[in-house]
């Protein structure tokens, strides 16, 4: 007898039970509906999204530390790690500058603020001060000093990723220097801690649909959909400019690595939708790190480039800041010369680097830019208060894709990318974890069972097995071949 075909309700129920993408999609739609129909109730659901983000943030610092330490120790070459860092900074500067220029060109061509004729004195600047909490962007000296840890545990307690990266580099270098003779059990212990953290991430990800539901309900309930009509021209321009920048990223990725950005988008579709729903790229960093490693990028490249990009490569924010600056100038009737617009790019190249993790950082950067020009009233940034939250989706997608492309590009540049494994993984042909057995190639990442990242998944995920206690005399004994693909 031919096998019975499950009924449609059963297939839908199975998809909702096993697919994170389907669950988040449903939560997204429900959040919008609840926010529109019951706005007063919806605004009270924000803690669902905030709570999820807090849980994810608790594992980001230890995860980055473990990945970087293991990556340095197994690569066995601290100089190579330094080269990766330098190449990453070069890529970040080129990408963020390109985003700034695209934003300025788009704003000049379309003129989203022309004809508004806003009187700056009529704007409520107190709302901007409330949003920014009276803070300020760090100077270059402050930024460099803040990147240096004051205490080992303090860097983890305060979730300072740059400080954690520096500590990880020091620990990885010490492991290379001492070798197995003096610290035979440290590296296996760090690797086991890494597996535990990934298991915790798996547990937390079960709450992702609730987080998306709460965040979207709060957004729609608090801001409504009317702002879309008021700022339609600006919103459309920002999203079109972001699409153009993503197209350039796709061309760059294809040229440098031969990989397809569209296939990569399909590969991280759950993480992308979750980032959109929660308006946070931090909420998906652990899963994206795991997937990049599974797609052939070496541990040390992923561990350094991706977290550093969260501070140095905010492409979406760069687009928004350049367009926002010209929008404000046009709205208050200020015509910026070419020299002033070049000044905008130069100022934003500096201010955008210190934005990560600072409340209201976009308004602080815009205020700093307006003050440096001297032609735009600093209080005019209040014009963007009503639309800023709507731009989060554009910023999140562009930032995340920009950093992922940077990982692939820098890995390829340094010879730390397994192209064959990357192509197989993006084509859905990579090795499946035991808990994913029996599922289609396109569904291998939908499982939420954390055990899939453990023993059987180690080779496919790029998680190395614990190192046995073999005595050695030389630092080079820490070197191991990269895990076999698939």
């Amino acid at each position: 007898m031919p096998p019975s075909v499950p009924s449609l309700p059963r297939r839908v129920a199975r998809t909702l039970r096993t697919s994170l993408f389907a669950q988040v999609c449903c939560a997204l739609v429900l959040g919008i509906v609840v926010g529109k129909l019951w706005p007063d109730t919806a605004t009270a659901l924000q803690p669902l999204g905030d709570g999820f983000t807090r849980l994810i943030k608790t594992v980001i610092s230890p995860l980055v530390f473990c990945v970087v330490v293991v990556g340095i120790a197994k690569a066995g070459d601290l100089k190579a790690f330094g080269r990766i860092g330098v190449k990453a900074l070069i890529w970040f500067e080129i990408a963020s500058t390109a985003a700034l220029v695209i934003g300025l060109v788009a704003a000049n061509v379309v003129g989203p603020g022309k004809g508004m004729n806003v009187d700056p004195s009529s704007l409520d600047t107190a709302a901007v001060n409330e949003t920014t909490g009276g803070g300020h962007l760090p100077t270059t000296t402050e930024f460099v000093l803040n990147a240096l840890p004051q205490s080992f545990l303090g860097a983890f307690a305060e979730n300072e990723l740059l400080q954690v990266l520096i500590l990880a580099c020091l620990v990885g270098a010490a492991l290379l220097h001492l070798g197995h003779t003096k610290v035979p059990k440290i590296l296996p212990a760090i690797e086991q801690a890494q597996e535990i953290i990934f298991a915790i991430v798996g547990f937390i990800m079960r709450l992702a649909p609730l987080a998306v539901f709460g965040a979207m309900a709060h957004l729609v309930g608090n801001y409504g959909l009317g702002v879309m009509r008021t700022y339609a021209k600006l919103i459309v321009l920002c999203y079109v400019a972001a699409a153009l920048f993503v197209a350039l990223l796709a061309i760059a990725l294809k040229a440098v690595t031969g990989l397809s950005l569209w296939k990569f988008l399909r590969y991280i579709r759950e993480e992308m939708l979750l980032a959109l729903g929660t308006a946070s790229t931090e909420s998906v960093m652990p899963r994206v790190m795991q997937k990049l490693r599974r797609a052939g990028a070496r541990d040390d490249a992923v561990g350094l480039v991706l977290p550093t990009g969260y501070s140095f490569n905010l492409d979406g924010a760069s687009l928004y800041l350049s367009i926002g600056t010209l929008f404000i100038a046009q709205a208050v009737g200020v015509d910026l010369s070419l020299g002033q617009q070049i000044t905008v790019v130069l100022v934003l190249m500096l201010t955008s680097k210190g934005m990560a993790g600072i409340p209201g950082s976009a308004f602080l950067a815009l205020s700093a830019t307006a003050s440096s020009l001297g032609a735009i009233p600093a209080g005019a940034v209040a014009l963007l208060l009503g639309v800023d939250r709507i731009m989060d989706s554009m910023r999140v997608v562009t930032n995340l894709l920009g950093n992922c492309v940077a990982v692939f590009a820098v890995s390829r540049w340094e010879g730390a990318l397994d192209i064959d494994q990357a192509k197989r993984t993006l084509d859905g042909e990579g090795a499946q974890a035991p808990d994913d057995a029996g599922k289609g190639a396109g569904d291998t990442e939908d499982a939420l069972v954390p055990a899939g990242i453990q023993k059987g998944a180690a080779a496919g995920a790029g998680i190395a097995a614990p190192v046995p206690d073999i005595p050695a005399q030389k630092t080079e004994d820490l070197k191991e071949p990269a895990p076999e693909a698939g």
Side-chain angles (χ1 to χ4, degrees), residues 2-306:
S4 59
V5 178
S7 62
L8 180 60
R10 285 179 177 272
R11 293 200 300 271
V12 171
R14 181 180 181 277
T15 300
L16 288 175
R17 187 177 66 254
T18 60
S19 172
L20 176 62
F21 183 74
Q23 293 170 4
V24 174
C25 277
C26 290
L28 198 68
V29 174
L30 285 175
I32 294 173
V33 171
V34 170
K36 179 64 177 176
L37 297 180
W38 302 284
D40 294 335
T41 303
T43 54
L45 297 175
Q46 187 179 10
L48 293 176
D50 292 345
F52 175 81
T53 304
R54 284 192 175 198
L55 286 173
I56 286 291
K57 284 184 176 181
T58 60
V59 299
I60 288 178
S61 291
L63 176 61
V64 169
F65 178 82
C66 292
V67 171
V68 172
V69 171
V70 173
I72 293 177
K74 290 197 168 296
D77 187 355
L78 195 60
K79 290 182 179 179
F81 198 73
R83 289 197 305 269
I84 291 173
V86 172
K87 291 174 180 178
L89 291 177
I90 293 173
W91 180 275
F92 293 159
E93 197 56 52
I94 293 173
S96 57
T97 302
L100 288 170
V101 173
I102 288 174
L104 284 180
V105 171
N108 276 294
V109 171
V110 177
K114 289 182 177 178
M116 294 184 69
N117 299 320
V118 175
D119 181 5
S121 62
S122 65
L123 298 173
D124 181 15
T125 56
V128 176
N129 294 329
E130 181 181 348
T131 302
T132 59
H136 69 281
L137 291 176
T139 64
T140 302
T141 303
E142 290 174 337
F143 181 74
V144 172
L145 288 177
N146 289 339
L148 301 176
Q150 297 187 55
S151 70
F152 200 99
L153 296 180
F156 291 89
E158 297 174 8
N159 263 327
E160 295 288 348
L161 281 186
L162 292 180
Q163 295 183 12
V164 171
L165 277 173
I166 291 176
L167 290 173
C169 292
L170 293 174
V171 173
L175 282 175
L176 286 178
H177 177 69
L178 295 173
H180 274 293
T181 304
K182 296 184 178 180
V183 285
K185 297 183 179 180
I186 295 298
L187 185 59
I190 294 176
E191 289 180 309
Q192 290 164 10
Q194 179 179 259
E195 292 187 16
I196 293 173
I197 294 170
F198 274 123
I200 294 173
V201 171
F203 294 140
I204 297 174
M205 290 302 293
R206 295 175 183 270
L207 303 175
L210 282 177
V212 171
F213 170 73
M216 288 306 299
H218 168 73
L219 171 63
V220 177
N222 194 38
Y223 295 94
L225 299 177
V227 69
M228 301 287 286
R229 293 190 295 270
T230 305
Y231 289 92
K233 194 174 182 181
L234 176 62
I235 294 171
V236 171
L237 175 62
C238 285
Y239 278 84
V240 170
L244 175 60
F245 181 77
V246 170
L248 292 178
L249 285 178
I251 295 172
L253 180 64
K254 191 72 173 178
V256 175
T257 67
L259 301 177
S260 167
L261 186 62
W262 172 252
K263 291 181 179 179
F264 179 72
L265 271 170
R266 186 179 186 278
Y267 177 55
I268 62 164
R269 62 190 184 276
E270 295 95 345
E271 290 74 26
M272 188 62 69
L273 196 61
L274 175 58
L276 279 171
T278 58
S280 169
T281 52
E282 285 187 335
S283 64
V284 297
M285 181 193 280
R287 292 258 302 194
V288 171
M289 289 181 71
Q290 184 185 5
K291 286 196 169 183
L292 286 169
R293 296 163 69 218
R294 192 173 297 178
R298 207 167 66 194
D299 285 8
D300 53 346
V302 174
L304 179 62
V305 178
L306 190 66

Side-chain angles (χ1 to χ4, degrees), residues 183-481:
V183 285
K185 297 183 179 180
I186 295 298
L187 185 59
I190 294 176
E191 289 180 309
Q192 290 164 10
Q194 179 179 259
E195 292 187 16
I196 293 173
I197 294 170
F198 274 123
I200 294 173
V201 171
F203 294 140
I204 297 174
M205 290 302 293
R206 295 175 183 270
L207 303 175
L210 282 177
V212 171
F213 170 73
M216 288 306 299
H218 168 73
L219 171 63
V220 177
N222 194 38
Y223 295 94
L225 299 177
V227 69
M228 301 287 286
R229 293 190 295 270
T230 305
Y231 289 92
K233 194 174 182 181
L234 176 62
I235 294 171
V236 171
L237 175 62
C238 285
Y239 278 84
V240 170
L244 175 60
F245 181 77
V246 170
L248 292 178
L249 285 178
I251 295 172
L253 180 64
K254 191 72 173 178
V256 175
T257 67
L259 301 177
S260 167
L261 186 62
W262 172 252
K263 291 181 179 179
F264 179 72
L265 271 170
R266 186 179 186 278
Y267 177 55
I268 62 164
R269 62 190 184 276
E270 295 95 345
E271 290 74 26
M272 188 62 69
L273 196 61
L274 175 58
L276 279 171
T278 58
S280 169
T281 52
E282 285 187 335
S283 64
V284 297
M285 181 193 280
R287 292 258 302 194
V288 171
M289 289 181 71
Q290 184 185 5
K291 286 196 169 183
L292 286 169
R293 296 163 69 218
R294 192 173 297 178
R298 207 167 66 194
D299 285 8
D300 53 346
V302 174
L304 179 62
V305 178
L306 190 66
T308 307
Y310 272 55
S311 295
F312 287 91
N313 193 40
L314 304 175
D315 297 328
S318 298
L319 265 173
Y320 172 63
L321 290 174
S322 57
I323 294 176
T325 301
L326 259 68
F327 169 79
I328 293 169
Q330 293 165 357
V332 298
V334 174
D335 186 17
L336 297 180
S337 65
L338 178 61
Q340 289 175 314
Q341 293 190 31
I342 293 175
T343 303
V344 168
V345 172
L346 295 176
V347 171
L348 291 177
M349 282 172 61
L350 296 175
T351 56
S352 62
K353 298 297 182 289
M355 287 174 54
I358 299 176
S361 56
F363 294 103
L364 291 172
L366 286 169
S367 297
T369 306
S371 299
S372 66
L373 291 175
I376 306 174
V381 299
L383 282 170
L384 292 173
L385 278 172
V387 74
D388 184 70
R389 184 61 178 82
I390 306 297
M391 298 299 186
D392 275 345
S393 298
M394 178 274 292
R395 290 194 294 249
V396 163
V397 169
T398 312
N399 288 344
L400 183 58
L401 284 179
N403 286 323
C404 290
V405 170
V407 171
F408 281 124
V410 174
S411 298
R412 176 64 169 171
W413 190 0
E414 180 58 27
L417 177 64
D418 187 334
I419 293 293
D420 292 334
Q421 181 179 339
K423 289 182 177 179
R424 286 196 302 270
T425 302
L426 298 189
D427 287 336
E429 300 172 4
Q432 294 183 0
D435 293 304
D436 294 329
K439 296 176 68 176
D443 298 325
T444 57
E445 293 302 321
D446 290 337
L448 295 177
V449 182
I453 64 170
Q454 299 177 7
K455 301 176 182 177
I463 303 174
V467 179
D469 298 341
I470 301 174
Q473 301 299 325
K474 296 181 180 180
T475 301
E476 286 76 6
D477 289 335
L478 279 174
K479 298 180 182 179
E480 293 185 2

